[in-house]
Amino acid sequence: MPCLAIFDFDRTVVLDDSDATIINKLKENKPPPEWEGSNKDWTPYMSDVFEHAFTSGFSQDEILSAIATMRATPGVEQLITTLAAEGWDVIILTDANSVFVQHWLKVHGLLDSVTSIITNRAFFEDGRLFIEPCMRQTACSRCPTNLCKSLALAQWCAKHNYDRIVYTGDGRNDYCPSTNLPATATVFPRRGYPLDDLIKKTMATDAPQVKAKVVPWDDCYRVLQELFPGKAPAVPS
């Protein structure tokens, strides 16, 4: 049977955060409006940021160039290409957007190794970047309305039959899908990040919510060693 590997994008596939990369570039000249977290979801805020970028003269080429220069997490390129070569389905499941993810993967030679990208739809029109929510959900109170990763993953898996599932992520929005993975799955939380902290807290209780095997990682060589022990190189010092 086929196997499935799911990756978050920001601070998982890449060391940086794609939205923060654009916001920080704008701050160098014309800072965008501040996010009011108490009354505004993140995706509509990024729509405002993209509008601000356009009116400030931040071009499409400048946006794509900034995204292309984001650093890859050490080992991720070898990990993703190895998974693809071994016949795994590889999904990027992220609350970023399709333009950022596709462009970065293409520049770094990984796009053909990825089976699907599940994220907020984005597109350029007359030089301005637009973003649309991946979904509009109200069933999960733990997740934003534009994306519940558990729901998106369940919809994908309903069309497939996987013998093995692994999930690699770092953030709070990776916790919800981690709690819905079966005991036969493996979740890889980035050490010292919110997903790792949340899993540690629940594992310390009498009713842990994560049934899957948990393997923390500092770089993707650790994930590669776990999945393909015979193929993994020595982890660089």
Side-chain angles (χ1 to χ4, degrees), residues 53-71:
F54 177 70
T55 58
S56 299
F58 196 45
S59 70
Q60 176 175 336
D61 287 345
E62 287 175 307
I63 290 175
L64 295 179
S65 177
I67 294 302
T69 59
M70 289 192 301
R71 301 166 296 166

Side-chain angles (χ1 to χ4, degrees), residues 21 58 88-89 94 106 126 133 136 142 150 169 181 209 234:
T21 295
F58 196 45
W88 288 55
D89 282 351
T94 173
K106 182 178 180 180
D126 297 326
R136 301 182 187 277
R142 292 193 294 191
S150 287
L181 293 173
Q209 297 185 35

Side-chain angles (χ1 to χ4, degrees), residues 174-234:
D174 296 308
Y175 181 70
C176 182
S178 296
T179 64
N180 287 291
L181 293 173
T184 54
T186 304
V187 57
F188 294 95
R190 187 175 179 184
R191 197 186 307 273
Y193 281 72
L195 176 60
D196 185 32
D197 293 339
L198 288 168
I199 290 177
K200 285 179 179 176
K201 288 179 181 178
T202 186
M203 290 299 187
T205 69
D206 293 330
Q209 297 185 35
V210 177
K211 301 181 290 292
K213 179 181 179 180
V214 177
V215 180
W217 59 277
D218 294 301
D219 58 44
C220 285
Y221 292 108
R222 177 67 186 92
V223 182
L224 190 64
Q225 286 179 327
E226 179 72 20
L227 299 180
F228 305 104
K231 294 178 179 292

